[in-house]
Amino acid sequence: MYITWTVIWLAWNVFIICVYLEVGILKKDNSILNMGTGSRSWWEVNGIGCNPKYNVSSITEDGWKKPVAIDGCLLNYEYVEVVHASTQIALGLIGLIGACYLVQSQDENYLKHSSQNSELFLDFLKGLRHQTT
């Protein structure tokens, strides 16, 4: 189950990167990411050094405050989102590789010990047979 979820998580983060870099037909201003709610990226106004400028009329019809201008950002929010998704991909790949290695080593260990356990069990049964005769 972990491996399935990790593959889905990796695919989602690749999708996020493609959206923010506007690969192909994907556009960051599309309502795909906010699911039609009109919400924006948290990093857009809360990035390092960002100073959003609001206007009284900047509140959208669905209640979200949209800044009129954002000045002083050290890094555009699109790139922060891409770095964040890339970090998630790197951590997911480390976890996926680790999980695959763990499953493989446990399978080998199980097969090795199960054959030893079978031999021990058979030796035990032979010992019981010799004791009863």
Side-chain angles (χ1 to χ4, degrees):
M1 189 63 151
Y2 171 79
I3 293 175
T4 303
W5 170 249
T6 302
V7 169
I8 291 169
W9 186 245
L10 292 173
W12 173 254
N13 281 288
V14 168
F15 172 74
I16 294 293
I17 290 172
C18 291
V19 167
Y20 279 108
L21 293 179
E22 297 190 338
V23 175
I25 62 170
L26 300 172
K27 304 290 179 211
K28 66 181 173 245
D29 294 330
N30 200 340
S31 64
I32 292 173
L33 290 179
N34 64 35
M35 296 180 210
T37 63
S39 62
R40 316 273 303 171
S41 170
W42 185 84
W43 291 106
E44 185 176 5
V45 294
N46 296 300
I48 299 171
C50 291
N51 297 316
K53 308 282 190 261
Y54 293 101
N55 188 325
V56 174
S57 62
S58 68
I59 297 176
T60 61
E61 56 209 36
D62 51 5
W64 292 98
K65 288 188 348 181
K66 182 178 179 184
V68 178
I70 303 170
D71 299 324
C73 292
L74 183 64
L75 197 60
N76 287 342
Y77 78 95
E78 297 94 347
Y79 300 120
V80 175
E81 293 283 2
V82 168
V83 168
H84 185 253
S86 299
T87 303
Q88 292 292 321
I89 289 171
L91 292 173
L93 285 173
I94 290 169
L96 186 64
I97 292 167
C100 290
Y101 175 76
L102 185 64
V103 167
Q104 179 190 8
S105 66
Q106 289 299 317
D107 283 346
E108 288 174 2
N109 195 21
Y110 173 76
L111 291 174
K112 183 175 122 184
H113 287 300
S114 65
S115 64
Q116 287 176 349
N117 289 340
S118 298
E119 291 172 13
L120 288 173
F121 183 68
L122 290 174
D123 289 343
F124 173 74
L125 291 177
K126 287 177 188 174
L128 285 178
R129 195 172 95 206
H130 287 304
Q131 285 179 352
T132 57
T133 56

